[in-house]
Amino acid sequence: MARGEGAEQYSNTNLLQKPSPDGIKLAAKRESRGRLSVCSKLCYAIGGAPYQITGCAIGFFLQIYLLDVALLDPFYASIILFVGRAWDAITDPTVGFLVSRSPWTRFGRMMPWIVLSTPFAVLCYFLIWYVPSVDQGKVVWYLIFYCSFQTLQTCFHVPYSALTMFISTEQKERDSATAYRMTVEVLGTLIGTAVQGQIVGMANAPCISSGKDLNSTDLQVAPEVNITEPHVSLEHLRNAYMIASGVICSIYVVCAMVLFLGVKEQKETCRVRTEPMSFFQGIRMVMGHGPYAKLVMGFLFTSLAFMFLEGNFALFCSYTLGFRNDFQNILLVIMLSATLAIPFWQWFLTKFGKKTAVYIGTTSVVPFLVSVVFVPSNLIVTYVVSFAAGVSVAAAFLLPWSMLPDAVDDFKVQNPESQGHEAIFYSFYVFFTKFASGVSLGVSTLSLDFAGYVTRGCTQPAEVDLTLKILVSAAPIVLIIIGLLIFISYPINEEKRQGNRKILNEQRENEIDSETDSTELNVV
């Protein structure tokens, strides 16, 4: 009798331990939600192209456009460049906060921001590259539309970057999608460089050899300068910039449509157990997380280094190296090399770890920064150096966005009761990246003004050549060293990352068990 009771008890225990059909279905559903098809990854990646295409065009060409095409004084150009980026000090965290408080819709929580901001962002971008006929209103014109574009682009890019956390629950799938995204984004910089550079390059206006700083008033009234050919060519150049901006705007719209139609945003898998926090609580929460703060500060300095190089390379090629008619092709080589190198860095960080990839990838550009300044000017050598430098540019693109989800996951592990704040983390990272760009452009243009930059001059004073060498070589090297010193204390290595992944998987399994129990109770 006792043996029969024991057998019955054993049988009942097995029945209790055996997963129910509803539980199996729920677990299978969770697993399938974590997997992404190649098509979904590609559509997600294409959504990152508009930010890089427009950012590349602005980074490489806006400074020289304001100085040599819009004919603004370097001081006013520096104000426009700095204020436009510094404006993101308000818009990025604010948009991130608003996105985190946005209600869920049938299209998701991020997608409405992306779709609604696109047409207005495209309009403002086009007007940045238009030269108004009223000289006195140029500064106000560019300030308004540059700041407006930065705001609308933030409404696109912050939700898009935070979307990484909502396309899959699996860390491996997110890393794979990020690699797809970085490949397309670097390809986007290649497209931006090709469209802007080649169209503008075909309408290259001749320089002015008079030695005087030429502005729009000089073009109209200065009798001692032969202005007929420069004036006509300048109009052609302005039209070329507008054509290039129109092409880029069209690409922007197409990419946004592909993202919207090809990516399904997943609702948070974990129940939000905290009340929505205030804006300043969000700031304290984000910056109070040590690994995230170190990651952002490290990449702030390394990003600033590459942005100094990006913002001044066109002027450096035109005046210091003497390749005025070839700089757009040199930029194209850099971006082509970066595009081809993305798969290599994805393999490298998978094989050797992300921190190792940061050290090697970032420092690999230093020898080329030195050689481009000290090796005598030679077009073939410049092409070779540019191709090699593009490999490091690829690492600078890929690694920050590949490591950011790890810092967010670490926050989730340390704060399991606080969920739904991904947009705030991503918005602050976008802010610091744009702020670095604004600082680099503003400092660069002011430095050139102090050095005596001659607008559209065939030659520049020796002080300008020295300033350009510092901006594309010495300053980036110092900033890279500072950034790498900060990374030494970054605590999330491969062991820590895998440990966080295991803990989060256990939390998801507990969620599955909890939902399974609830389902079974409802059935009973």
Side-chain angles (χ1 to χ4, degrees):
M1 186 69 179
R3 183 178 178 182
E5 291 176 355
E8 184 179 356
Q9 184 178 5
Y10 176 78
S11 177
N12 291 336
T13 302
N14 280 346
L15 288 173
L16 291 173
Q17 291 177 348
K18 185 178 179 180
S20 67
D22 291 332
I24 294 174
K25 290 180 181 179
L26 186 58
K29 183 178 179 182
R30 286 299 185 93
E31 185 178 357
S32 65
R33 287 182 64 180
R35 294 175 182 170
L36 293 174
S37 66
V38 173
C39 181
S40 295
K41 293 177 184 178
L42 284 174
C43 291
Y44 166 73
I46 288 172
Y51 177 75
Q52 294 300 337
I53 293 174
T54 56
C56 179
I58 288 174
F60 279 126
F61 293 95
L62 185 58
Q63 184 184 46
I64 197 170
Y65 167 81
L66 293 176
L67 293 174
D68 287 1
V69 180
L71 302 175
L72 292 179
D73 183 270
F75 175 75
Y76 293 115
S78 67
I79 291 177
I80 293 169
L81 294 171
F82 179 76
V83 171
R85 292 292 185 165
W87 176 247
D88 287 334
I90 299 173
T91 60
D92 280 304
T94 302
V95 170
F97 171 74
L98 294 175
V99 170
S100 67
R101 299 289 294 268
S102 298
W104 181 268
T105 70
R106 66 187 182 121
F107 301 110
R109 191 158 52 133
M110 309 296 166
M111 284 297 181
W113 286 84
I114 294 171
V115 173
L116 294 176
S117 65
T118 295
F120 302 102
V122 164
L123 176 63
C124 291
Y125 179 81
F126 181 80
L127 293 175
I128 289 174
W129 303 100
Y130 173 76
V131 181
S133 57
V134 180
D135 293 334
Q136 289 77 8
K138 284 183 182 179
V139 176
V140 177
W141 175 278
Y142 290 117
L143 272 176
I144 290 175
F145 288 108
Y146 189 39
C147 290
S148 298
F149 173 71
Q150 294 296 341
T151 302
L152 293 164
Q153 190 186 49
T154 297
C155 293
F156 181 103
H157 191 62
V158 167
Y160 170 75
S161 57
L163 190 62
T164 307
M165 306 300 295
F166 298 101
I167 57 175
S168 175
T169 59
E170 292 297 322
Q171 189 180 83
K172 182 179 179 181
E173 291 296 308
R174 293 202 306 259
D175 286 347
S176 176
T178 300
Y180 275 82
R181 171 189 165 191
M182 290 302 106
T183 302
V184 173
E185 287 197 3
V186 176
L187 183 61
T189 64
L190 180 64
I191 294 173
T193 305
V195 171
Q196 191 88 0
Q198 298 305 312
I199 293 177
V200 170
M202 289 188 295
N204 189 31
C207 57
I208 304 300
S209 59
S210 62
K212 67 178 292 186
D213 191 348
L214 208 61
N215 54 37
S216 57
T217 304
D218 296 326
L219 287 174
Q220 296 172 2
V221 302
E224 69 276 8
V225 180
N226 183 5
I227 63 173
T228 304
E229 181 182 2
H231 182 73
V232 173
S233 298
L234 185 59
E235 289 300 320
H236 291 165
L237 187 59
R238 289 175 175 177
N239 291 334
Y241 270 100
M242 292 184 64
I243 293 172
S245 67
V247 174
I248 289 176
C249 288
S250 301
I251 297 173
Y252 194 119
V253 173
V254 171
C255 291
M257 291 176 61
V258 170
L259 175 65
F260 176 72
L261 297 175
V263 176
K264 180 176 177 58
E265 182 179 344
Q266 297 182 7
K267 202 169 185 177
E268 297 92 330
T269 56
C270 295
R271 294 186 296 270
V272 179
R273 291 178 286 269
T274 53
E275 293 295 327
M277 58 181 61
S278 68
F279 177 76
F280 293 103
Q281 285 176 329
I283 294 177
R284 288 195 297 269
M285 174 199 70
V286 167
M287 301 312 298
H289 185 59
Y292 175 81
K294 292 175 182 177
L295 180 71
V296 169
M297 292 306 296
F299 279 122
L300 172 64
F301 283 97
T302 56
S303 298
L304 187 58
F306 283 95
M307 287 172 184
F308 267 114
L309 178 63
E310 176 188 70
N312 296 282
F313 199 71
L315 292 172
F316 179 76
C317 289
S318 297
Y319 295 114
T320 302
L321 298 181
F323 304 137
R324 183 180 181 88
N325 297 323
D326 298 286
F327 77 86
Q328 65 270 15
N329 297 323
I330 296 172
L331 297 180
L332 199 60
V333 169
I334 294 176
M335 294 300 109
L336 176 62
S337 172
T339 304
L340 297 175
I342 285 287
F344 165 76
W345 287 116
Q346 177 64 21
W347 168 84
F348 189 94
L349 66 87
T350 304
K351 184 75 173 178
F352 301 101
K354 296 180 181 181
K355 286 189 70 173
T356 303
V358 168
Y359 294 132
I360 295 178
T362 307
T363 55
S364 62
V365 76
V366 173
F368 307 110
L369 294 179
V370 174
S371 61
V372 78
V373 171
F374 290 101
V375 173
S377 178
N378 182 284
L379 185 58
I380 297 178
V381 172
T382 302
Y383 276 120
V384 173
V385 170
S386 299
F387 187 87
V391 176
S392 186
V393 172
F397 270 98
L398 174 64
L399 291 170
W401 295 108
S402 180
M403 297 173 71
L404 189 55
D406 300 335
V408 178
D409 283 345
D410 187 73
F411 175 84
K412 290 182 177 181
V413 169
Q414 296 185 25
N415 302 272
E417 300 299 320
S418 183
Q419 305 291 336
H421 309 307
E422 291 84 357
I424 299 178
F425 281 93
Y426 277 82
S427 67
F428 270 92
Y429 183 74
V430 174
F431 154 64
F432 280 115
T433 303
K434 291 182 179 179
F435 181 76
S437 177
V439 169
S440 67
L441 289 172
V443 170
S444 299
T445 313
L446 274 178
S447 300
L448 293 173
D449 186 25
F450 293 146
Y453 178 83
V454 179
T455 302
R456 290 184 59 216
C458 291
T459 60
Q460 298 291 340
E463 292 81 3
V464 172
D465 288 337
L466 177 61
T467 300
L468 288 172
K469 289 179 180 179
I470 293 173
L471 292 174
V472 302
S473 180
I477 291 173
V478 171
L479 291 168
I480 286 173
I481 293 173
I482 295 174
L484 294 180
L485 289 175
I486 295 174
F487 273 117
I488 293 176
S489 61
Y490 179 66
I492 302 179
N493 52 24
E494 287 304 299
E495 181 180 356
K496 177 73 171 176
R497 191 169 73 92
Q498 294 300 329
N500 288 341
R501 178 184 179 184
K502 181 179 179 181
I503 294 173
L504 290 174
N505 286 337
E506 291 175 353
Q507 290 178 357
R508 294 188 188 102
E509 290 174 2
N510 292 335
E511 290 285 339
I512 292 174
D513 293 340
S514 176
E515 292 185 19
T516 303
D517 293 340
S518 299
T519 302
E520 291 177 348
L521 288 174
N522 290 334
V523 171
V524 174

